[in-house]
Amino acid sequence: MTAYFDSGQYQCLTTNVFGSILSREATLQFAYLGNFSGRTRSAVSVREGQGVVLMCSPPLHSPEIIYSWVFNEFPSFVAEDSRRFISQETGNLYISKVQTSDVGSYICLVKNTVTNARVLSPPTPLTLRNDGVMGEYEPKIEVHFPYTVTAAKGTTVKMECFALGNPVPTISWRKVNDHNPSKARLRKSQAVLEIPNVQLEDAGMYECKAENSRGRNVFRGQLQVYTYPHWVEKLNNTQLDSGEQLRWECKATGKPRPTYHWLKNGVPLCAQSRVEMVNGVLMIHSVNLSDAGMYQCLAENKYGTIYASAELKILASAPTFTLNQMKKTIIITRGQEVVIECKPQASPKPTITWKKGDKAVRENKRITVLPDGSLQILNASKSDEGRYLCQGENVFGSAETVASVFVKEPTRIDLTPKRTELTVGESIVLSCKAIHDNTLDVTFYWTLNGQPIDFEKEGGHFESIRQASSADLMIRNILLMHAGRYGCRVQTTADSVSDEAELLVRGPPGPPGIVIVEEITETTATLSWSPGADNHSPISTYNLQARSPFSLGWQTVKTVPENISGDMESAVAVELNPWVEYEFRVVATNKIGTGDPSAPSRVIRTSEAVPKTAPANVSGRSGRRHELVIAWEPVSEEFQNGEGFGYIVAFRPNGTRGWKEKMVTSSDASKFIYRDESVPPLTPFEVKVGVYNNKGDGPFSPIVVICSAEGEPSAAPTDVKATGLSVSEILVAWKHIKESLGRPQGFEVGYWKDMEQEEASEKVKTEGNESSIILTGLEGNTLYHLTVRAYNAAGYGPPSSTVRAATKKSPPSQAPTNVMWMQDGSHVSLGWEPVRPLANESDVMGYKVLFRQEGHSNSQVIETQKTSAVVLLPDVGVYIIEVCAVSEGGDGTASSQIRVPSFSGKFTIIF
């Protein structure tokens, strides 16, 4: 159980076999809040207009507390403004100018920021003296920030300043000889200057000024910003041989500048004859096993301490060689350099000696022992072959390793051909031969421009053909990308040699540089480009191509000059259409072929121009009486040459002189209708259609003669008759008087039920000179009203008078019953009960006997008015027979099917 006396600074010491390290300090602090003294507080009496300070005198507490004041009774709190201020530094309440409303009882309330506990002070009465009102006086600063304010970088600084005075003073702040920080904020009617996330550049002299009409008062204090230590360079774990020197350096930043201390295994390290500590640098001379352990560097200033830890390991062991250094065989070629490694693991560093056979190796210009103990032999010869022994020795022991050296004749290479020029699509074989020592294995490697050739990923273009001491590279159907430097490397266990051959591949030109549009007019574009790669065959010609929204892909355009030679880098595209968006590209050609096109130019639009294309196929169309209908094919947007495109329709009666002109402003228009009640039908007109845009008027089409419309039919059909044919059909027939004008193209029949309005009628059309039609899909036993009228392209003529007709009743729903049959050879005699229709069904007019051979779809029919019939079955087989009633409304329901075999014999079956 913890208690107040347990508070203080704590550190943790951690220990293992490698040593000990000390943690950073931790502070244990207990939050508490005492009680105010219970002693009664004396009343404070002041004149009206005088300033006053009410003392809080807070109890003992930890950590910080928050102050507020209660007026008269809880929870009525004092509101802070330009006249009243509660200092969070002293806890006192300051009233710069007392008013009558301030008279009352004041209680200081403090709150612990950790426990949220609250305590109240005894009340302090505030009264007004009766000896007059206080006159005006200059400000007196009662609460202000310290002369020196210290703050940690990144924290929020709050500086207080409040004055008594009459009138109530105004508080203002400034940073002396500098601008206030832009992030600074003024709180509590400017009595508090708050600087969040304070930085080093915010440090300096700050001034608080209190001012009223009677004068002013100023206070200045220094803001100092400090930073905790922060590592710039830490320690790293280090291992040294016994006898070596240790040098460790730790660096930290901070304000004030940190100082450094060193610990070894958690205990302060003291300077000795071998140990030096200067400004964060630790040096230990001639280390030994006693120096091993955990070291810590401490960087500290008055605001904090940071720790960096590292292990120092001291090595002490006899020499040993790894397995890969034991009994090595080294094969080299004459004239090469060879290094025989001798790197035993040992501490301290061992002494190295070399022997060849039984004799010590003598160093000379060719043979040298390197600093790491390895033996270097330059310009090796046969005399250098032999058995080499390396011995490493220190105070703890010694060890040996042996290497055997063999010197062979150097490998030579012959690569042919050295330089070749090819054309795309051709093939070639590069031959690489090796002259080498027969005891050595040889391997061949091929490269292109320094990169290994992947024979599996080259699409079958490359093939390696290997023989005993040579390798051929077959290149089939060569491409431009296969040009370059081909390397052949011969690798043996002793050496490696290589050679290169160069292949130049001629092909169609590469794409020229992007086309630049330099100047644009109505019908021309001046273009330039930069030449692409000629791929080892000079460019002979260029072809200029264009694309627009109206072209089928890229099209060759006419140019000036007409033929663009390979040494040119500009040309003029001509005969373009005005006011059309174009892209341009250029294609180069040489003796090998035509290459890929350049990237397209930016999209440009040619300038506007007067239209030059007149509408085509000007003709007449059918219309209503007194109308002249003029039609034409609209001019494509490609030939409109500018904005504001439209048509000028000109016409005049045949034989007259003056033209009537009408403007049609829609560029998509294809028809114009001129109506004049005075124009008789079929009056001939001369007609022409022109074009225009914002740049002016274009040409007219050739003059054509068009007649005015003859109009819609004027006469109604006569002698209209309608007859019900069945339960769903009515026959309608009529006559029509021939007319010289308004000739009909067909007739329209309208029909509707007796209980419906004519507006709901359905309509059926005929074409040509037909004078009758059968209406189908009607309802049975229903009365219909019908009219007929003629129509043509100009419209509809007047309707005929209305006629009426009814559809027949529905056919009988009852099928014939008790069907009996008797067979006599190929004759079958049938009989059945008569069908009696319902009241809403058609009367029976007779019967049908339907029979067909099984497996066939077409039935034969016998009609009779009796309830019996004889059927002749001509062929051998099975027949299916049905019987149904016949009425005005159509055929009734069929009886059940009878299956009758066709053969001689007499018998009867009743259904």
Side-chain angles (χ1 to χ4, degrees):
M1 181 176 179
T2 58
Y4 287 116
F5 54 76
D6 293 322
S7 61
Q9 305 293 326
Y10 289 82
Q11 283 183 286
C12 173
L13 181 68
T14 304
T15 303
N16 64 11
V17 296
F18 300 106
S20 303
I21 59 173
L22 198 61
S23 73
R24 63 184 178 88
E25 289 185 349
T27 301
L28 176 61
Q29 184 178 358
F30 291 90
Y32 63 90
L33 179 62
N35 290 315
F36 281 95
S37 169
R39 187 177 69 252
T40 302
R41 298 193 175 189
S42 302
V44 177
S45 183
V46 295
R47 293 179 181 175
E48 183 180 350
Q50 186 178 354
V52 69
V53 179
L54 300 181
M55 310 298 288
C56 179
S57 302
L60 296 176
H61 60 272
S62 177
E64 301 300 322
I65 55 177
I66 298 174
Y67 298 91
S68 57
W69 283 78
V70 176
F71 181 55
N72 287 333
E73 61 181 15
F74 188 84
S76 176
F77 289 94
V78 174
E80 295 181 83
D81 52 25
S82 60
R83 196 172 61 83
R84 292 170 293 189
F85 176 69
I86 300 172
S87 171
Q88 294 302 318
E89 297 294 335
T90 66
N92 298 336
L93 170 61
Y94 300 84
I95 304 176
S96 64
K97 175 186 173 184
V98 174
Q99 299 176 354
T100 306
S101 59
D102 296 325
V103 173
S105 178
Y106 289 84
I107 301 169
C108 180
L109 184 150
V110 296
K111 174 184 174 183
N112 190 293
T113 56
V114 175
T115 65
N116 288 327
R118 300 182 181 187
V119 293
L120 298 169
S121 72
T124 301
L126 177 64
T127 62
L128 287 181
R129 292 164 55 176
N130 53 12
D131 56 351
V133 176
M134 183 75 173
E136 293 184 353
Y137 62 96
E138 67 179 13
K140 177 186 178 185
I141 295 178
E142 278 294 333
V143 58
H144 57 75
F145 55 97
Y147 289 100
T148 300
V149 178
T150 58
K153 178 183 175 182
T155 60
T156 297
V157 174
K158 295 181 180 180
M159 292 185 282
E160 296 182 344
C161 181
F162 190 78
L164 310 183
N166 186 5
V168 175
T170 299
I171 306 297
S172 61
W173 295 82
R174 75 182 183 96
K175 185 178 182 183
V176 179
N177 300 324
D178 202 351
H179 296 291
N180 284 349
S182 58
K183 58 192 172 184
R185 301 289 182 266
L186 294 174
R187 309 290 187 193
K188 296 189 176 183
S189 300
Q190 305 190 92
V192 176
L193 174 65
E194 180 178 292
I195 306 175
N197 189 25
V198 69
Q199 300 296 311
L200 295 175
E201 59 268 21
D202 298 326
M205 181 72 70
Y206 284 83
E207 178 184 276
C208 160
K209 180 171 67 175
E211 191 171 16
N212 65 10
S213 59
R214 304 298 296 177
R216 66 177 186 171
N217 201 348
V218 172
F219 176 81
R220 287 184 177 183
Q222 186 78 25
L223 172 61
Q224 295 180 350
V225 180
Y226 65 86
T227 60
Y228 296 102
H230 175 76
W231 287 121
V232 175
E233 184 175 335
K234 293 184 178 181
L235 305 179
N236 293 315
N237 292 336
T238 302
Q239 61 180 25
L240 296 175
D241 290 334
S242 178
E244 289 187 325
Q245 176 178 294
L246 169 71
R247 185 184 188 278
W248 263 332
E249 182 176 7
C250 56
K251 290 182 180 178
T253 60
K255 188 174 182 182
R257 181 181 299 174
T259 58
Y260 302 93
H261 305 282
W262 291 87
L263 304 178
K264 178 186 177 185
N265 293 326
V267 177
L269 186 64
C270 299
Q272 303 171 12
S273 58
R274 292 187 305 111
V275 179
E276 298 179 22
M277 293 174 286
V278 181
N279 293 331
V281 176
L282 170 63
M283 295 184 66
I284 304 179
H285 302 278
S286 187
V287 297
N288 55 48
L289 286 173
S290 66
D291 296 318
M294 296 299 300
Y295 288 78
Q296 288 178 283
C297 177
L298 282 63
E300 62 181 334
N301 62 18
K302 61 186 293 187
Y303 300 107
T305 304
I306 54 176
Y307 292 72
S309 304
E311 179 192 4
L312 174 61
K313 183 181 293 185
I314 305 300
L315 304 176
S317 62
T320 58
F321 287 95
T322 58
L323 289 177
N324 63 352
Q325 292 188 66
M326 305 292 285
K327 295 183 179 180
K328 293 178 64 175
T329 298
I330 301 173
I331 302 175
I332 59 172
T333 58
R334 181 172 49 82
Q336 274 190 329
E337 171 191 335
V338 63
V339 175
I340 310 172
E341 286 190 352
C342 182
K343 298 179 180 178
Q345 295 177 350
S347 181
K349 187 176 180 180
T351 302
I352 302 296
T353 57
W354 281 92
K355 290 183 180 181
K356 180 183 178 186
D358 296 329
K359 297 180 180 180
V361 173
R362 292 186 177 182
E363 293 188 70
N364 54 39
K365 291 182 179 180
R366 284 195 318 112
I367 302 174
T368 307
V369 178
L370 300 177
D372 66 356
S374 300
L375 182 65
Q376 181 185 56
I377 303 174
L378 303 177
N379 191 20
S381 64
K382 274 287 185 180
S383 63
D384 295 318
E385 284 188 334
R387 179 176 178 274
Y388 289 81
L389 180 144
C390 171
Q391 182 184 59
E393 183 177 9
N394 67 9
V395 294
F396 298 105
S398 65
E400 297 178 347
T401 183
V402 175
S404 298
V405 176
F406 298 91
V407 181
K408 306 289 185 178
E409 286 299 312
T411 304
R412 291 179 288 124
I413 188 172
D414 182 20
L415 176 62
T416 57
K418 288 291 187 182
R419 189 178 190 278
T420 307
E421 292 187 5
L422 298 170
T423 300
V424 168
E426 293 182 343
S427 300
I428 190 175
V429 175
L430 297 178
S431 179
C432 184
K433 295 180 180 179
I435 300 91
H436 60 95
D437 188 298
N438 292 331
T439 62
L440 300 178
D441 292 330
V442 63
T443 306
F444 292 86
Y445 300 93
W446 287 98
T447 61
L448 172 56
N449 294 324
Q451 298 299 316
I453 295 175
D454 190 334
F455 290 92
E456 294 182 358
K457 294 184 178 180
E458 289 295 340
H461 290 282
F462 294 96
E463 181 183 355
S464 178
I465 304 169
R466 176 65 197 276
Q467 298 176 19
S469 294
S470 67
D472 291 342
L473 176 63
M474 167 73 78
I475 309 174
R476 297 186 179 90
N477 191 21
I478 199 165
L479 304 177
L480 284 171
M481 61 185 291
H482 296 148
R485 295 175 291 102
Y486 283 81
C488 175
R489 181 167 63 88
V490 178
Q491 180 75 54
T492 71
T493 51
D495 61 353
S496 175
V497 291
S498 61
D499 198 2
E500 287 189 342
E502 184 178 6
L503 289 188
L504 295 178
V505 181
R506 295 186 298 269
I514 190 169
V515 176
I516 305 298
V517 182
E518 297 181 345
E519 185 179 351
I520 195 77
T521 68
E522 298 170 356
T523 58
T524 67
T526 302
L527 311 169
S528 65
W529 59 90
S530 57
D534 64 6
N535 292 327
H536 308 294
S537 178
I539 298 172
S540 54
T541 59
Y542 286 103
N543 175 253
L544 197 59
Q545 299 175 345
R547 178 173 64 182
S548 74
F550 313 105
S551 65
L552 296 175
W554 292 94
Q555 305 288 332
T556 299
V557 294
K558 292 186 178 180
T559 59
V560 175
E562 184 175 353
N563 297 316
I564 307 172
S565 61
D567 58 352
M568 298 182 66
E569 297 180 15
S570 65
V572 180
V574 297
E575 298 186 17
L576 305 176
N577 290 325
W579 200 241
V580 171
E581 289 185 338
Y582 284 98
E583 293 175 278
F584 298 94
R585 71 180 187 184
V586 65
V587 181
T589 301
N590 61 14
K591 289 182 180 180
I592 311 301
T594 299
D596 293 331
S598 68
S601 70
R602 63 182 175 89
V603 177
I604 60 96
R605 185 188 286 272
T606 48
S607 303
E608 291 183 282
V610 174
K612 295 183 179 180
T613 303
N617 296 327
V618 178
S619 60
R621 294 286 187 271
S622 298
R624 296 185 176 277
R625 200 178 301 273
H626 309 300
E627 288 183 348
L628 174 66
V629 181
I630 303 167
W632 62 88
E633 287 186 10
V635 175
S636 165
E637 185 182 350
E638 181 179 8
F639 303 107
Q640 292 178 5
N641 292 9
E643 291 187 308
F645 182 85
Y647 300 93
I648 304 171
V649 181
F651 52 93
R652 64 186 178 189
N654 232 351
T656 62
R657 301 187 63 179
W659 292 91
K660 284 189 177 181
E661 290 188 351
K662 298 293 183 181
M663 307 285 284
V664 179
T665 58
S666 172
S667 61
D668 298 325
S670 61
K671 184 172 69 173
F672 174 75
I673 300 176
Y674 172 68
R675 182 172 181 82
D676 187 343
E677 297 290 340
S678 66
V679 175
L682 301 179
T683 300
F685 280 82
E686 289 183 311
V687 176
K688 60 182 179 179
V689 181
V691 291
Y692 72 92
N693 63 17
N694 289 346
K695 300 293 285 186
D697 295 346
F700 279 91
S701 65
I703 296 174
V704 297
V705 176
I706 298 173
C707 291
S708 61
E710 59 177 322
E712 66 276 2
S714 58
T718 61
D719 200 15
V720 178
K721 295 180 179 179
T723 305
L725 298 181
S726 68
V727 67
S728 63
E729 297 174 324
I730 293 178
L731 171 65
V732 184
W734 61 87
K735 294 180 181 179
H736 187 69
I737 302 172
K738 291 186 177 180
E739 300 178 73
S740 59
L741 296 174
R743 290 163 292 185
Q745 295 177 352
F747 296 89
E748 180 185 80
V749 178
Y751 59 95
W752 62 97
K753 295 177 186 177
D754 185 47
M755 300 303 292
E756 295 178 344
Q757 298 296 320
E758 183 177 356
E759 289 75 14
S761 64
E762 297 188 45
K763 297 177 175 58
V764 178
K765 283 186 175 181
T766 69
E767 293 185 358
N769 294 322
E770 292 185 16
S771 58
S772 66
I773 188 173
I774 295 177
L775 303 179
T776 60
L778 306 177
E779 291 188 15
N781 195 25
T782 302
L783 179 63
Y784 283 89
H785 299 261
L786 307 99
T787 62
V788 183
R789 60 178 178 173
Y791 71 88
N792 60 16
Y796 291 91
S800 68
S801 57
T802 304
V803 297
R804 298 192 300 171
T807 52
K808 303 297 185 181
K809 293 181 179 180
S810 301
S813 57
Q814 179 189 342
T817 59
N818 295 332
V819 179
M820 299 177 295
W821 61 276
M822 180 182 294
Q823 186 172 5
D824 183 3
S826 60
H827 290 80
V828 177
S829 298
L830 298 165
W832 57 86
E833 293 288 334
V835 173
R836 290 177 174 80
L838 302 176
N840 61 345
E841 295 176 344
S842 299
D843 294 334
V844 175
M845 300 168 58
Y847 298 91
K848 286 182 181 180
V849 178
L850 299 90
F851 62 98
R852 59 183 172 83
Q853 198 169 9
E854 191 173 50
H856 293 71
S857 58
N858 295 328
S859 297
Q860 301 181 50
V861 179
I862 296 176
E863 295 192 10
T864 178
Q865 294 184 348
K866 301 177 181 180
T867 58
S868 62
V870 177
V871 178
L872 174 63
L873 306 179
D875 299 323
V876 175
V878 177
Y879 282 82
I880 296 174
I881 302 175
E882 297 174 298
V883 181
C884 66
V886 177
S887 70
E888 284 186 333
D891 296 343
T893 306
S895 68
S896 300
Q897 294 180 348
I898 304 171
R899 298 178 76 255
V900 179
S902 177
F903 55 84
S904 58
K906 295 183 180 180
F907 50 89
T908 302
I909 300 178
I910 300 176
F911 292 87

